Amino acid sequence: MAFDIDRFARDSVRVGWEDLDLEVFRTDPLPPESLRTLRYMCDVEYHTVCYLRDMLVTRSRRETEVNAFMTMWNREEFWHGEALAHVLSLHGITVSYDELKAKRVKLGWKDRLAPLKQSVLSNLVGKDFVAVHMIWGAVNEWSASAAYKRLAVLEGHPGLAVLVRRIAAQEARHVAFYATQARTRLTDNARAQKLARLALSTAWRPVGSGIASDDEVTHVMGHLFGGAAGRKEIDAIDRHISKLPGMDGLTIVGDALDARGIAA
Ligand SMILES: [Fe+2]
Ligand SMILES: [Fe+2]
């Protein structure tokens, strides 16, 4: 089914939380492991603008629909970050851009030439780079959607469950865009399929790996996707990926959990 980009642009709204009773967290806070996961997810959402910066110097910027989508998508992801930052603030945790920036520098995310390198790489592989970008985005959005759905189940708090399900619904639309684009661009394109398969199987890491420490990545993966119910969600993502043209048999998300010793 085609993705209606005009409709997406028209219907895109910031996620709302004003109608939810979240103040209750002041007296009935979330447990530390959930706050740690929320903090990670908040950082990832806020980081989207940096990812967008990298992508805007690539071949993808020449694609009208991709440009239109990324504008609205970036805005939606920013508000996901704001929503999570609000929940964290009710627990006395302040998330600030300056702090995030300092953390990224500490972790080595300081390569100012990254967008340039990305641009050179994308021009080397030409239009097929866009197919790789799209399937990469699809995997990350499937992961984000599954993460929010799992958080809603794990944290029975009514206000938080509603909020993260609202976010998950927007992530599902992001999935629809990226997966539709990826499928179209990979179909009957052996070179793009080969590039995408190579990129995913050698370079893909769980969302947030580049901006959070290894311990944090392992905590979040284990918290959200450890155990049978979590692994079921991960297996579903791998099935979605393997159904895209040329991706048969890929199990990159499950493999990432196995590599971290996260048991099913
Ligand atoms: Fe998001
Ligand atoms: Fe998203």
Side-chain angles (χ1 to χ4, degrees), residues 73 77 80 141 144 170-171 174:
W73 163 80
E77 304 293 24
H80 297 171
E141 297 292 344
Q170 293 198 332
E171 305 295 8
H174 302 167

Side-chain angles (χ1 to χ4, degrees), residues 8-244:
F8 173 70
R10 203 174 51 237
D11 296 349
S12 174
V13 289
R14 82 166 182 85
V15 71
W17 61 85
E18 293 75 7
D19 58 320
L20 303 175
D21 180 20
L22 299 173
E23 289 293 317
V24 69
F25 286 135
R26 292 190 194 278
T27 49
D28 185 15
L30 291 166
E33 65 271 21
S34 296
L35 290 174
R36 196 174 164 191
T37 296
L38 272 183
R39 177 63 213 256
Y40 178 98
M41 292 165 90
C42 182
D43 287 2
V44 168
E45 297 287 6
Y46 275 150
H47 186 76
T48 305
V49 69
C50 300
Y51 180 70
L52 176 69
R53 179 201 70 170
D54 285 2
M55 285 304 140
L56 284 180
V57 297
T58 69
R59 185 66 171 72
S60 296
R61 78 176 181 279
R62 293 192 223 161
E63 305 289 321
T64 314
E65 282 204 354
V66 174
N67 260 343
F69 169 79
M70 288 184 84
T71 304
M72 311 311 288
W73 163 80
N74 185 57
R75 179 174 174 273
E76 289 188 2
E77 304 293 24
F78 170 79
W79 284 104
H80 297 171
E82 289 284 282
L84 301 187
H86 177 68
V87 172
L88 290 164
S89 76
L90 296 170
H91 292 82
I93 301 166
T94 307
V95 183
S96 78
Y97 278 118
D98 286 347
E99 197 188 320
L100 280 179
K101 202 172 146 196
K103 201 164 109 185
R104 282 178 200 138
V105 169
K106 204 171 142 202
L107 287 164
W109 202 91
K110 57 188 172 189
D111 186 355
R112 287 175 187 277
L113 292 177
L116 188 63
K117 287 177 189 163
Q118 190 84 264
S119 170
V120 171
L121 174 75
S122 81
N123 284 315
L124 279 178
V125 296
K127 207 173 160 92
D128 291 337
F129 175 84
V130 188
V132 179
H133 173 192
M134 293 299 107
I135 195 169
W136 194 278
V139 177
N140 288 351
E141 297 292 344
W142 269 316
S143 304
S145 179
Y148 284 113
K149 280 191 226 151
R150 284 290 297 149
L151 197 58
V153 172
L154 289 169
E155 277 305 334
H157 182 276
L160 185 73
V162 172
L163 173 62
V164 294
R165 285 201 173 101
R166 282 178 189 171
I167 297 176
Q170 293 198 332
E171 305 295 8
R173 292 204 299 169
H174 302 167
V175 166
F177 175 80
Y178 281 115
T180 305
Q181 283 278 333
R183 178 172 296 283
T184 305
R185 292 167 187 276
L186 292 168
T187 300
D188 299 326
N189 187 341
R191 184 173 181 264
Q193 289 179 20
K194 205 173 154 191
L195 277 169
R197 197 178 175 96
L198 182 71
L200 289 181
S201 57
T202 60
W204 187 83
R205 301 284 178 272
V207 185
S209 296
I211 54 170
S213 71
D214 223 38
D215 280 354
E216 294 310 297
V217 180
T218 302
H219 162 74
V220 173
M221 294 300 114
H223 180 217
L224 295 178
F225 299 117
R231 183 59 73 131
K232 206 173 147 194
E233 293 292 328
I234 294 301
D235 289 345
I237 298 174
D238 277 332
R239 272 199 307 279
H240 290 312
I241 298 167
S242 67
K243 281 182 191 157
L244 288 170

